[in-house]
Structures are given as structure tokens and as C-alpha cells.
Amino acid sequence: MPAAEARLALCRFLCGWPKLDPRLVARAFAALSAADRGFAAHAEALGLAITAAGLADVQAFRDSPLFDDATHRGTALALLGAFYLGVVGNGEGAQLISYEGALMFASTQDVTPVPSYARDGPGYWGLIDSAAHE
Amino acid sequence: MQFDADVIVVGSGVLGSLTAHALATRAKSVILLEAGPRMPRWQLLERFRNVADKSDTNRPYPDQAWAPKSSGGAHSDDYLQNVGPLAYRPGMLRLVGGTTWNWRSACWRLLPNDFRLKTLYGVGRDWPIDYDVLEPWYARAERALGVCGNPEDDQSGHGGGAFPPRSQAYPLPMLPWSFYTRRIAAELRAAGFVFCDEPSARASQPYAGRPACSGMNSCTPICPIGAQYSGDVHASLAERAGAQLRENAVAFRLERAGAKILAVHYKSPDGRETRLSARAFVIAAHGIETPKLLLMSEVANASDQVGRNLMDHTGISLTLLAREALWPGQGPVQQGAMLHWRDGEFRRRHAALKHALGNEVANRPVAARLLAQGVIGPELDRRIRHDAARIVQFTTAFEMLPEPGNRVSLSTAKDALGLPKPQIHYDVNAYVRAGAGVAQQDYRRFTEILQAEVIAADSGWRNGDHIMGSTIMGADPRDSVVDGDCRTHDHENLFLATTGVMPAGGVVDPTLTGAALALRLADLIGRAV
């Protein structure tokens, strides 16, 4: 499988999000590789290990011995950080992967906005009883 | 004698722009100088969305070598030279419209007792004016900024009738409370705490060309639609009324002859200097740059108080994970506060304090914490939703006392224009520490009431972004910089429009008080010039 496809497959697997945008994957890899020249190789190794172990999904990966391996775990968490937090790195040198598309907002989008975006009209929050949202 | 303008105002933040606007509408010729550039809202919004590190809310704002902000950029991070035990780094921006591009717009009045701290409680300093003198100007400032609030609240925190006294109603009705605010207020009230709405400069309905708040929950660092007031509103109004706004103009010297200020000199980014003369001058460069300009110019300082008595609402915070799903992040970022420690005899012994309830979308810190714990997969999404619904944030502000050793002075380090960087020495004293002990007791009660788990209670001392005291107001020229009209004691035609004049700050955000003072001094100048 060509490298770009393999990376996309790995990231979609880890995020549990089949529609993860390939442009974000490319951005994440560029940022992570800039910080760590060995990153691409670690990611490739992780992808191959997941395939070899026949893991069905990220839950299976989490429950497998692969997640106990420090290198595989670090690689997985670095990628998840890039897509969930939408950022690679800290402080002045941090790189944006995505803000509106950061996966940390996905599970609450029925209740709260991505800050600076409109969820609803003026005063919407006074009209709803959020106890309905568990 | 020919002047370049009737009045020159240095600083186009909210106070300078209110002043410039008020004078221009009285047909005075006004030049308004701004050290930083102009930037439109849409561009600041895009910069915010695209900045990677969102932990410093200053970061989206321009970071220029000739006019650094307080943090959030290569030039700015090394600008304020802190030499004391605490790093004083309150929010400060340098661009047309000033620091209120990035604020939470809390617009409280001081209480009558806040003006008489020394007389009533034997600590700190009295204001040389009292609440009744400032009250009509508070009303005008609330109209100018478009403040919404609950007219029935006892803002002294005693759960009584409406207080402080008001000659006019809030111009706008209070914003509705979100479920989060309603539920927490109910639980705290049931336990005996007083919980008040926080008045704010947010349009709860369309107001003076501003749209109504739609709860995008990014009041800080920037309101995407301008429902929240920012200083550029009056910078624009001042220009439309005929004031001449010059951006990228860094005032560095006030020229005087005897007791009269003749001119202001400013530098452009390329170092070129310009001299402008006027009948009167208003320095509205906020509480660090204003004393810095006076010190560089060697004016207005017979008292040796310029730069001293620096105060903030230094504070602490508490982050909880409540038992119940409450959903912070609906509506604006702050809606209410607890004021039971705002005023009383205890101020003899310890600092007054205000607990503010934060209402920010919590997904980012929640997700970061879970990833750091190695949570992945469907559990990560489930836990983000679960925890983000339950984060409760309290931020507590303490009243500082004016101390001569807390001060802004001139560093030997120079900025890109060759001007001295501000040097700051700052610490909190036993009075504030005693207040923190009381606040911690309240934190334990909040934790119990909300059946919560403590996520973070060790914030250390946090900057409160409220710069006060550094050009202190007083009746006695020997120990103060300005009189009750904000006129410098030493120079009849030099006024200071800055929260830096405040000799006592209470526990509330000082902007509305500064705005009231600015409108009052503009009226005085307008009648005299």
C-alpha cells in the first residue's frame, strides 16, 4: 500500500473516524516528522503491527499488548493528540492541524459550540433544559 | 498661539477612545495617538482560529517590535521585565481599540464603601471622591458601552434589596442564564450563598449597531460578531465625529515648559519622530504604559508616586468535576458571581474577594487530560462528553492594597525603538494571603455542594488583568499623582484616563469605573478648553 494510503488508514483506525480528512493526515505527519525525524518510521511500524495482529478496531488495539509497547503507545497518542486537540506541539512552535475539525469537539456538538462558531441564534441557551443532554 | 489640536489623547483603548469621542462631539479638535496598528475584527477572528497555541489568549493579537503587548509573541514575551517575587503579566494589547478586544466585559460599579476603605476599615487609601460624585457617570458609561445586568441584585453580596443605588436602569436587560448557571446558582443558593448576575457589556438585544449575543463562547479572545463591546467601537465613533486617529505612533515624551505640557513627541516604527502641540493632553495608555511615559518624560512626579502602588486582582482558581451534567459553554463565558465576601468589617483583617463562575467550553483541557492518561477509542469520546459536561470553574479575585514597593519603573533593557522596557516589582501581602485562606474554605464547600471531584486547586497566584494604582488618585499632591478629576497635580493641562488612577479597586473589574472617570474628565476638559 502506498505510504499516504497507509498513513490515512492508520489514522482513521486510531480515531475510529472513517471520514478523517487526508489533508489533516498529511498536515499531522508533516508536523510530527518535523519534531521527530523517526516519526514516520514509527508510524509505519505501528500500522504494520496492527495489520499483523489482525486488530478489528481501536478498542481492540487498546486491549492488545501493542498498546503496552512504549513506542507504539507514544506514536498512537501523538497522532490522536494531533487530531483530537487539533495541534502538534506547544507554545510558540505549535502547529495547527485543525480547529473546527478537531475531534475533541465531535462528541458534544449537539450541546455546545466550537468556540467562536455559532451553534444557534441569539439567547439560545436560555431556552433549553440541558438536563436532557446526558 | 497655534496648536496642532485642542486636545491630544494618547491611547485608543476604551478610555482614550471614549475621551476622544466625547471631546470631538463637543467640536474640539482631537488627535488620538495609538502605538499599535489597526486590525479589523474578521482578521483577528481568523488569526484566533488559526493560531495553534490557544492557551495564551493574547496570541492572536499583533506582536510588533515597536509596541509589544504583555505576552503572546516573540517581542512581547520579553517586554515586561519582572524583578519581584510574582510575575505581573496582566492582559494588555497595543492596537486601535486596545485591550478590550480581549476581555470578558464584566461591568460592575464599585460600591460606596469601596471609595472609603481607609475611613471605614483602616486599610489602604480613600478615594478623594465618593460614589455619589461618580454615579451619573457610571450611568453614562453603561449607556456608552451597552451594559446588560439585573437591576434587582444586591451587588454588595448581602442578599438584600437592589444595590448600589442607580439613577438610571441598565440600558439592556440581563442575558438569560444557561442551564449550567441556573443549576449551580440554585445549588449554591440552597446552601446559603448569594449568587448574582454579572453585569456585562454584551448586547442582550441589538444595540447601537451591535448584534445580540449568540453564545459563541469566545468572548475572550475575541467576540466574533461584536455583540460584546470593544474599544474600537468608540475609536471609530471618535473618527466619525472628527477626531484624527494616528496609528503606529508611540508617544515617548511629553514636553513641558514650567508647569504646562506643550507637546507630545511620538516615534513611528522606523524611528522617525513627530512633535504635536495641544492645549490639553490626556494619557490613556493603560496602567503600565501611562506611568512609563510620565517617567520617561520626567513629568507629573513631584510626589514620587508615578508607577508605584501597582495593583491587580491577583487571584486563585478551582476546577471541579461535578457529579451532575451541567454543560458549561452555553452562552457567554461568564454569567454570575458570589459576592458574600465583597464588603464588610472583615476588610479590616483580610482582602475582600469575588468568586466568578466560569462558563467556558471545556473540551480542550478535558481531552488533553484524558489523552495524557492514555484513554483512547470509543472510551475517549464517551469520557470527553461525560467530563466536558461536568467541568465547573471558579476564579477568585482578591482586593489588593496600594503599596509603594509594588511598582512600574524603567528598565535598563530597551525595546526596538530604544525606549526603556517596563520593569515591574510585584508581590501579594499578608492581607491578600489571609483572603486566600477564606477563599479556600469556600472552595471546600463548593466541592461538597456540587458533589464534585477536584481537578485542579493549585493554580498558584494568577494575573487578574486589572491594572490599577500606578498613577494613583488622591487629595494630597504629596502622595498622589492625580486629583479627583484625574488631573495631574503637577500640570494643569495634563489628565490621565486610566484605571491606573484607582486608589482602591474593590473586587470588581475596573473598566466601567475607568470609563466613568474618562467621561467625567472629558466633560471637564470640554468645558474648559
Side-chain angles (χ1 to χ4, degrees):
Chain A
M1 185 189 287
E5 266 188 55
R7 292 174 179 183
L8 182 61
L10 171 64
C11 292
R12 285 177 169 173
F13 175 92
L14 289 172
C15 293
W17 183 229
K19 295 188 197 164
L20 187 65
D21 189 324
R23 292 172 301 177
L24 301 190
V25 174
R27 229 176 263 167
F29 267 81
L32 288 163
S33 301
D36 171 11
R37 272 183 299 148
F39 185 81
H42 288 142
E44 190 185 358
L46 174 60
L48 291 170
I50 287 170
T51 306
L55 300 170
D57 55 32
V58 64
Q59 181 119 324
F61 166 65
R62 196 211 49 195
D63 296 336
S64 80
L66 290 182
F67 195 55
D68 296 328
D69 175 282
T71 306
H72 288 323
R73 184 189 180 95
T75 303
L77 289 172
L79 285 167
L80 285 167
F83 300 117
Y84 269 79
L85 304 178
V87 177
V88 170
N90 296 305
E92 181 93 11
Q95 304 255 45
L96 186 80
I97 307 304
S98 176
Y99 175 55
E100 193 191 353
L103 294 179
M104 61 180 165
F105 295 119
S107 64
T108 57
Q109 58 189 355
D110 59 325
V111 193
T112 48
V114 176
S116 82
Y117 290 92
R119 231 203 116 247
D120 207 323
Y124 82 85
W125 57 94
L127 303 172
I128 56 184
D129 178 359
S130 298
H133 299 282
E134 187 32 80
Chain B
M1 191 171 183
Q2 282 279 68
F3 296 97
D4 294 303
D6 291 325
V7 186
I8 295 176
V9 180
V10 176
S12 72
V14 54
L15 305 192
S17 291
L18 281 170
T19 304
H21 172 252
L23 290 166
T25 55
R26 292 180 92 120
K28 304 300 169 195
S29 63
V30 178
I31 297 177
L32 177 56
L33 298 178
E34 169 52 50
R38 284 180 205 259
M39 288 204 76
R41 182 177 304 275
W42 70 265
Q43 197 166 50
L44 294 166
L45 177 61
E46 283 301 297
R47 286 165 68 113
F48 165 61
R49 288 170 173 171
N50 285 287
V51 78
D53 177 16
K54 291 181 167 62
S55 62
D56 183 346
T57 58
N58 267 7
R59 202 170 281 281
Y61 289 90
D63 172 52
Q64 53 264 337
W66 63 92
K69 45 187 175 161
S70 53
S71 69
H75 300 294
S76 301
D77 286 332
D78 190 41
Y79 181 57
L80 301 179
Q81 306 290 298
N82 272 285
V83 299
L86 287 193
Y88 186 93
R89 206 173 291 281
M92 176 185 80
L93 299 174
R94 314 289 287 290
L95 76 165
V96 172
T99 305
T100 54
W101 278 107
N102 179 13
W103 67 324
R104 291 181 168 80
S105 76
C107 280
W108 304 86
R109 300 181 177 198
L110 288 176
L111 300 173
N113 285 356
D114 289 335
F115 290 79
R116 305 177 63 225
L117 206 58
K118 182 74 172 176
T119 299
L120 291 174
Y121 305 120
V123 298
R125 296 194 187 199
D126 286 344
W127 285 65
I129 58 174
D130 63 20
Y131 178 83
D132 292 338
V133 166
L134 207 51
E135 198 284 328
W137 302 98
Y138 271 132
R140 291 184 199 209
E142 286 166 350
R143 275 209 309 287
L145 270 54
V147 175
C148 66
N150 184 348
E152 291 168 27
D153 271 337
D154 173 5
Q155 294 177 355
S156 71
H158 296 121
F163 196 81
R166 312 176 54 86
S167 57
Q168 293 187 36
Y170 281 111
L172 288 162
M174 65 177 268
L175 279 166
W177 281 359
S178 65
F179 175 77
Y180 169 89
T181 305
R182 278 181 263 141
R183 277 300 293 155
I184 293 173
E187 301 212 22
L188 293 169
R189 283 169 170 169
F193 287 104
V194 174
F195 189 95
C196 292
D197 185 60
E198 177 165 80
S200 66
R202 293 187 179 96
S204 51
Q205 55 201 33
Y207 185 82
R210 285 157 48 200
C213 175
S214 295
M216 287 134 153
N217 206 251
S218 76
C219 317
T220 169
I222 179 144
C223 176
I225 60 174
Q228 178 170 265
Y229 179 87
S230 46
D232 60 301
V233 167
H234 276 89
S236 300
L237 288 172
E239 278 190 294
R240 276 197 263 147
Q244 185 196 131
L245 172 54
R246 297 191 185 192
E247 66 262 41
N248 297 315
V250 182
F252 70 95
R253 189 162 75 88
L254 293 167
E255 176 192 327
R256 70 175 178 84
K260 229 175 168 60
I261 304 298
L262 299 181
V264 59
H265 295 248
Y266 70 82
K267 287 188 191 248
S268 303
D270 60 4
R272 206 167 15 107
E273 295 182 12
T274 304
R275 176 187 187 273
L276 294 174
S277 62
R279 299 176 195 276
F281 298 82
V282 181
I283 314 304
H286 210 351
I288 293 174
E289 299 295 324
T290 297
K292 178 184 152 183
L293 176 60
L294 299 180
L295 290 171
M296 288 192 294
S297 310
E298 298 182 328
V299 302
N301 200 18
S303 63
D304 188 36
Q305 296 298 298
V306 170
R308 295 186 185 276
N309 310 298
L310 181 66
M311 292 179 278
D312 185 12
H313 286 124
T314 305
I316 60 175
S317 68
L318 175 70
T319 307
L320 301 176
L321 194 70
R323 188 191 58 86
E324 206 186 314
L326 297 166
W327 290 108
Q330 297 185 319
V333 299
Q334 207 158 274
Q335 292 203 286
M338 277 167 286
L339 305 172
H340 51 284
W341 289 118
R342 187 169 181 195
D343 183 40
E345 274 297 306
F346 63 84
R347 291 169 96 176
R348 289 190 178 278
R349 297 183 302 278
H350 67 76
L353 62 99
K354 163 168 78 82
H355 300 299
L357 178 63
N359 184 38
E360 295 187 35
V361 167
N363 295 47
R364 183 155 43 94
V366 159
R369 182 169 156 261
L370 291 168
L371 284 166
Q373 292 171 1
V375 179
I376 68 172
E379 193 197 349
L380 176 60
D381 291 315
R382 189 183 58 75
R383 288 285 308 277
I384 289 174
R385 182 179 175 89
H386 176 276
D387 289 4
R390 289 163 171 77
I391 292 290
V392 177
Q393 176 98 24
F394 294 98
T395 301
T396 304
F398 298 100
E399 176 167 32
M400 303 281 302
L401 298 178
E403 291 178 65
N406 285 344
R407 64 187 299 206
V408 179
S409 54
L410 301 179
S411 175
T412 51
K414 303 277 195 273
D415 67 16
L417 289 177
L419 302 175
K421 295 181 179 181
Q423 175 168 296
I424 297 177
H425 180 279
Y426 188 76
D427 198 6
V428 294
N429 65 2
Y431 186 75
V432 175
R433 292 177 198 278
V438 168
Q440 295 286 4
Q441 287 173 15
D442 280 352
Y443 281 1
R444 283 190 280 280
R445 290 215 56 210
F446 302 159
T447 307
E448 285 164 17
I449 291 162
L450 296 172
Q451 299 177 63
E453 176 194 334
V454 175
I455 299 294
D458 55 355
S459 64
W461 296 109
R462 299 169 46 129
N463 289 293
D465 302 327
H466 299 159
I467 311 171
M468 298 172 290
S470 54
T471 50
I472 203 161
M473 180 191 280
D476 189 344
R478 288 168 301 177
D479 68 4
S480 59
V481 179
V482 298
D483 66 16
D485 297 333
C486 300
R487 188 198 306 260
T488 57
H489 289 300
D490 298 351
H491 309 285
E492 194 188 16
N493 67 336
L494 177 63
F495 293 77
L496 306 184
T498 164
T499 50
V501 305
M502 294 171 64
V507 297
V508 296
D509 317 63
T511 308
L512 187 72
T513 299
L517 291 168
L519 289 172
R520 185 164 173 270
L521 74 86
D523 181 68
L524 198 154
I525 295 171
R527 282 184 280 115
V529 152

